[in-house]
């Protein structure tokens, strides 16, 4: 028997596989294919204080080994989430993480204060969305701004606070250190890499937003390197993601230093991806006579 539990600060996850924000909605649609009590956690679609319709279509495009999206934070707004989606999510028997993406420091603080009054298990502060004009990635590209916003949110809630980082920076470990020093309980990486697709005939960008975020297997090597870099720099847990499609991929992220992982694009290819990945991890660990998933974390033998 493998002990599948992992510890993220004060929070114990039943296993290290979390459904990544924006690829699992609030779990409602995914329920028909999964027993959601068996996955490690669900990170909600990115929330803003007020409802957002998101960007105009076309909002997704397939690429070699991945996809581009510019959804633009379509969501029902924090109040509707708290009233209608959160009670449903809390009934699923898994860890529920509210992913927030305020367009200003004040909006993030206000959302954290409201979520503090709920039974949500953790807040994931998204400082990395590439598809909106204000806030988000603008915060996540400056260590100084990360520190400012994380400190302010930290003071507004006693909930576990995870900070989601953008890969669209030169030195992601500096950003992770800024989040840690301001009181983050964990850092999550990577969000999508800024990219573009062009239709040669019309000479127009495929996405109406012109650019979008690249995800899926195409980004995995970049994500692995960043998780490895960050895990060497910070003492708080690292939650790794980017192109995880299999149990083998998930374990590679843990070996690079991640305590837990998130699975995004894979859910859009195969709605049972999270569950399948957990089962594969258990099979591999059993074959390797590993007794606890946590034994994989940070065990990379570099040359
Ligand atoms: C369609 C789509 C929507 C996304 N929406 C969000 C979001 O609202 N908030 C967020 O933090 N990340 C969002 N992401 C990023 C994912 O959570 C994840 O960080 C990224 O896709 C890398 O993981 P993957 O390669 O497994 O998809 C979105 C990704 C996709 C593909």
């Amino acid at each position: 028997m493998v002990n599948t539990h992992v510890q993220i600060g004060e929070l114990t996850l039943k296993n290290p596989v979390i459904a990544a924000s924006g690829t699992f909605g609030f779990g409602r649609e995914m329920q028909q294919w999964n027993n959601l009590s068996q996955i490690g956690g669900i990170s909600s679609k990115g929330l803003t204080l007020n409802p957002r319709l998101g960007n105009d279509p076309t909002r997704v495009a397939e690429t070699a080994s991945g996809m581009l999206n510019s959804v633009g934070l379509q969501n029902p707004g924090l109040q509707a989430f708290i009233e209608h989606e959160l009670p449903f999510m809390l009934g699923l028997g898994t860890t529920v993480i509210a992913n927030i993406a305020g367009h200003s420091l004040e909006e993030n603080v206000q959302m954290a204060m409201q979520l503090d009054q709920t039974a949500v298990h953790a807040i994931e502060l998204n400082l990395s969305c590439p598809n909106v004009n204000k806030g988000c990635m603008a915060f996540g590209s400056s260590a100084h701004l990360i520190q400012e916003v994380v400190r302010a949110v930290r003071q507004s809630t006693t909930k576990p606070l995870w900070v989601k980082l953008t890969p669209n920076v030169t030195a992601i470990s500096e950003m992770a250190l800024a989040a840690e020093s301001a009181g983050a309980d964990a850092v999550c990486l990577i969000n999508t890499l800024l990219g573009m697709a062009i239709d040669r005939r019309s000479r127009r960008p495929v996405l109406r937003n012109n650019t979008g975020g690249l995800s899926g297997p195409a980004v995995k090597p970049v994500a692995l390197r960043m998780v490895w870099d960050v895990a060497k720099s910070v003492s708080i847990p690292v939650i790794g993601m980017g192109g995880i499609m299999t149990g083998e991929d998930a374990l590679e992220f843990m070996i690079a230093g991640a305590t837990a992982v998130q699975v995004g694009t894979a859910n859009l290819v195969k709605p049972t991806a999270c569950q399948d990945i957990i089962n594969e991890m258990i099979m591999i660990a059993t074959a390797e006579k590993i007794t606890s998933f946590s034994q994989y974390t940070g065990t990379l033998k570099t040359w």
Side-chain angles (χ1 to χ4, degrees):
M1 285 291 279
V2 184
N3 176 2
T4 60
H5 293 82
V6 292
Q7 197 69 31
I8 308 287
E10 64 190 44
L11 209 57
T12 306
L13 305 185
K14 61 176 71 172
N15 66 61
V17 179
I18 302 164
S21 176
T23 63
F24 220 76
F26 301 107
R28 282 187 194 278
E29 299 80 6
M30 301 311 254
Q31 212 183 189
Q32 59 189 301
W33 294 286
N34 294 285
N35 175 355
L36 295 179
S37 72
Q38 288 179 14
I39 65 172
I42 302 175
S43 178
S44 76
K45 173 62 193 168
L47 300 163
T48 48
L49 196 57
N50 298 311
R52 280 179 65 96
L53 289 173
N55 295 329
D56 288 338
T58 302
R59 311 202 293 191
V60 290
E62 210 167 315
T63 66
S65 297
M67 65 178 282
L68 285 162
N69 92 81
S70 63
V71 172
L73 293 176
Q74 177 182 351
N75 80 94
L78 186 68
Q79 205 48 47
F81 169 76
I82 290 173
E83 279 170 28
H84 306 297
E85 307 296 347
L86 184 57
F88 165 78
M89 291 181 83
L90 290 170
L92 294 173
T94 187
T95 300
V96 178
I97 302 117
N99 179 292
I100 63 170
H103 66 67
S104 64
L105 180 146
E106 293 73 23
E107 184 172 327
N108 281 315
V109 164
Q110 203 177 331
M111 286 196 282
M113 286 170 76
Q114 289 188 39
L115 285 164
D116 194 61
Q117 303 304 308
T118 71
V120 77
H121 301 118
I123 296 173
E124 183 176 54
L125 176 61
N126 175 6
L127 300 182
S128 44
C129 180
N131 300 320
V132 288
N133 291 329
K134 283 198 283 181
C136 239
M137 201 170 89
F139 287 122
S141 315
S142 147
H144 172 71
L145 291 179
I146 290 178
Q147 231 166 5
E148 211 171 47
V149 66
V150 173
R151 193 174 295 128
V153 172
R154 174 71 293 168
Q155 285 164 4
S156 325
T157 177
T158 55
K159 299 280 184 194
L161 177 60
W162 303 355
V163 176
K164 187 160 173 183
L165 301 173
T166 174
N168 301 305
V169 292
T170 315
I172 197 166
S173 49
E174 276 174 31
M175 308 302 155
L177 281 166
E180 179 181 41
S181 70
D185 295 301
V187 281
C188 308
L189 62 139
I190 59 171
N191 205 318
T192 53
L193 276 156
L194 205 49
M196 188 172 202
I198 292 175
D199 177 53
R200 200 257 314 151
R201 286 179 190 80
S202 64
R203 302 196 178 194
R204 283 192 181 278
V206 175
L207 299 175
R208 190 59 184 259
N209 191 45
N210 295 324
T211 60
L214 182 66
S215 62
V219 309
K220 193 185 125 193
V222 177
L224 270 176
R225 192 273 293 173
M226 289 188 164
V227 165
W228 177 61
D229 262 355
V230 167
K232 284 186 297 177
S233 310
V234 298
S235 326
I236 52 176
V238 175
I239 300 171
M241 75 197 90
I244 296 176
M245 306 296 281
T246 64
E248 190 111 357
D249 292 340
L251 289 173
E252 288 172 19
F253 274 80
M254 293 184 74
I255 290 166
T259 300
V261 297
Q262 295 193 11
V263 173
T265 303
N267 297 308
L268 309 181
V269 181
K270 196 172 169 215
T272 57
C274 288
Q275 184 67 72
D276 295 348
I277 287 169
I278 296 159
N279 292 337
E280 283 169 31
M281 290 170 76
I282 293 173
M283 273 170 49
I284 295 171
T286 307
E288 291 187 330
K289 299 196 167 37
I290 296 284
T291 52
S292 171
F293 277 163
S294 59
Q295 288 168 9
Y296 281 106
T297 296
T299 53
L300 185 70
K301 301 174 193 164
T302 45
W303 297 106

